[in-house]
Amino acid sequence: MVKTTETNPSGVMWLQVGGLAGMQGAITLCWLIYNLYIPQLLVSIGFPKGFAIGLLIIENALAVIIEPLMGGLSDQAKRWLTSRFSFISAGVIFSSASFILIPAIVSFSEPSDIIRWIFLFVIVGWSIAMAVFRSPAIALLGKYALNVDLPLAASWLTLTGGIINAFRPISTNLILSVGAVFTFALGSLVLLAAAFVLRFVNPPETPIPEIVELTEKQHFPEQLPRVLFLLLGTGFGIAWGSRLLMDVIGKLLKIELNTNDAGGMMFILSLALAFAALPAGAFATKIGNRKAVVWASCTISISMLLMLFFGAKLLLLILIICTFSLILNGAIPLVLSLVSSQRAGLATGTYFAGSGLAGALLAAIFPQLATISLLPEIFLSAIAFLAVGIFVTVSRPIPQME
């Protein structure tokens, strides 16, 4: 018998999916707070303004290594301890503690060389801790839904993270006005609470028979590296294309509206993108997630090229929102559908490693996206999405024998 996921026969475990959506929201909130405050905190403690870009490159480069490593180790822990929560709990506790320390060091210490090194150690340690538990946590989605229902379940994670990200353009001044210590403490408590809820609703794990693992290694030894390479490329393409796409839309909206501030419109578009995840999940569940992602990747590439001639017209924006939502929402379900449940953490971590690699290269090559002209930016984004379509087209799931 071939089995590709581990779940209950009811299709989707909605209570558990809700807990995982809360965890996704907490992760997104912490990164939002961090990205808003870290340039200000770095300058306050004595670093130059441009130092944040170098730090971003380092953090993303570390994620390329840590995400698949921790995802793979959580797979091993699942075999040994029947649960991934040892990694999730350890990562959440350490990241919550170090998250509070970040503003505390700046607020309650006098700047010096030693304090600056301690500060760097804490913020890099925090980013590592976040990478420790993200892949094991998101991999739990494969346990909470059947493969065919994964896009529908994932839509609630996409919705939660999308809503929080959508508020960034209009809430930046408010968040910064509250103060770093209070804001970071709030983010830390939200993360701890989300982890507690997820642990509470998570059902008991089922031990994996050793014969299943041995059989998988004997029958499919050459398929895993190929699948992981495709997932790395998919994560890279989606992250690269997404970052450039949102910057292109922002620039085009400024031209269309004849303004230097398109924050309000970007908020509306981002919120629409977040809520579009729900129908996108239902649509992908109906026609098949791989097919939906491939079609969406090709369509969004063409749509971006059309924006060169027609600008940010309403119909084009609606088409881009619909297709972009199918891609974002379908990524993790695709990852989990390509491997057995015994490799879910490694596969998820490899996908996030691709995202980290794209983030590091973008920050290194284009430290200021605002300085890039529209033509190359649109082409680079369109090519990235086309590459995603190719990677997904040639990908094939690794069956699990039992």
Side-chain angles (χ1 to χ4, degrees):
M1 174 187 285
V2 177
K3 181 180 178 182
T4 56
T5 191
E6 175 188 307
T7 186
N8 70 342
S10 63
V12 179
M13 302 165 70
W14 288 114
L15 182 62
Q16 287 75 16
V17 168
L20 191 55
M23 175 63 80
Q24 174 66 37
I27 293 172
T28 306
L29 177 64
C30 286
W31 277 109
L32 174 63
I33 293 170
Y34 176 82
N35 288 327
L36 287 179
Y37 270 100
I38 199 62
Q40 174 182 308
L41 294 177
L42 286 170
V43 172
S44 298
I45 206 169
F47 289 102
K49 281 187 176 182
F51 190 81
I53 296 175
L55 185 61
L56 177 64
I57 296 173
I58 293 173
E59 289 171 343
N60 280 293
L62 286 173
V64 174
I65 301 171
I66 296 168
E67 291 276 12
L69 175 63
M70 293 303 159
L73 288 175
S74 75
D75 291 334
Q76 297 294 329
K78 188 173 184 294
R79 298 185 191 102
W80 303 329
L81 307 173
T82 73
S83 176
R84 302 181 190 276
F85 260 94
S86 55
F87 278 83
I88 298 173
S89 299
V92 167
I93 291 171
F94 186 82
S95 61
S96 296
S98 55
F99 200 55
I100 296 177
L101 280 177
I102 291 173
I105 291 173
V106 177
S107 300
F108 304 117
S109 303
E110 290 293 329
S112 66
D113 288 340
I114 294 177
I115 294 298
R116 279 189 281 271
W117 277 108
I118 293 174
F119 183 70
L120 284 179
F121 176 80
V122 170
I123 57 179
V124 172
W126 174 78
S127 65
I128 291 174
M130 292 291 284
V132 165
F133 72 87
R134 182 168 69 157
S135 296
I138 300 302
L140 289 172
L141 186 66
K143 177 184 176 182
Y144 299 157
L146 291 169
N147 269 1
V148 68
D149 294 314
L150 279 172
L152 191 61
S155 64
W156 291 95
L157 277 68
T158 309
L159 173 65
T160 306
I163 289 175
I164 294 173
N165 269 328
F167 278 91
R168 176 171 181 169
I170 63 172
S171 64
T172 297
N173 292 333
L174 175 62
I175 294 174
L176 292 176
S177 67
V178 172
V181 174
F182 176 81
T183 308
F184 275 72
L186 179 62
S188 179
L189 291 175
V190 170
L191 184 61
L192 285 172
F196 175 80
V197 171
L198 182 60
R199 183 68 185 91
F200 181 77
V201 301
N202 186 60
E205 303 276 0
T206 303
I208 300 172
E210 186 177 355
I211 187 64
V212 172
E213 172 68 12
L214 292 174
T215 305
E216 185 184 39
K217 287 182 178 179
Q218 292 169 358
H219 286 80
F220 316 109
E222 74 289 344
Q223 294 188 31
L224 184 61
R226 176 178 177 274
V227 168
L228 293 179
F229 173 78
L230 293 174
L231 291 179
L232 183 73
T234 301
F236 181 93
I238 292 177
W240 182 283
S242 301
R243 182 67 184 88
L244 295 180
L245 170 63
M246 297 307 290
D247 189 64
V248 164
I249 292 176
K251 289 177 179 177
L252 288 174
L253 284 174
K254 289 178 181 179
I255 296 173
E256 291 284 339
L257 301 174
N258 193 25
T259 179
N260 290 323
D261 184 12
M265 281 301 300
M266 289 302 294
F267 165 70
I268 294 172
L269 286 174
S270 299
L271 205 59
L273 179 63
F275 280 98
L278 298 180
F283 179 73
T285 298
K286 185 172 183 178
I287 72 166
N289 188 54
R290 289 179 71 251
K291 184 186 296 184
V293 173
V294 171
W295 287 0
S297 299
C298 296
T299 304
I300 199 171
S301 298
I302 297 171
S303 301
M304 291 195 68
L305 295 176
L306 289 175
M307 284 198 298
L308 279 174
F309 304 97
F310 301 105
K313 301 303 182 185
L314 181 60
L315 288 178
L316 275 178
L317 289 176
I318 292 174
L319 184 59
I320 286 174
I321 287 173
C322 294
T323 52
F324 193 27
S325 183
L326 284 169
I327 295 169
L328 291 180
N329 191 70
I332 295 300
L334 174 73
V335 170
L336 297 174
S337 68
L338 291 179
V339 298
S340 66
S341 60
Q342 289 79 44
R343 294 285 184 265
L346 175 61
T348 306
T350 303
Y351 170 79
F352 285 137
S355 300
L357 181 60
L361 288 178
L362 271 174
I365 301 172
F366 307 116
Q368 297 294 333
L369 286 181
T371 62
I372 309 174
S373 62
L374 279 171
L375 182 61
E377 195 170 12
I378 287 176
F379 271 107
L380 287 172
S381 183
I383 291 171
F385 283 121
L386 278 178
V388 170
I390 294 172
F391 285 134
V392 176
T393 299
V394 301
S395 64
R396 291 293 181 272
I398 302 176
Q400 175 186 345
M401 303 297 294
E402 63 175 12

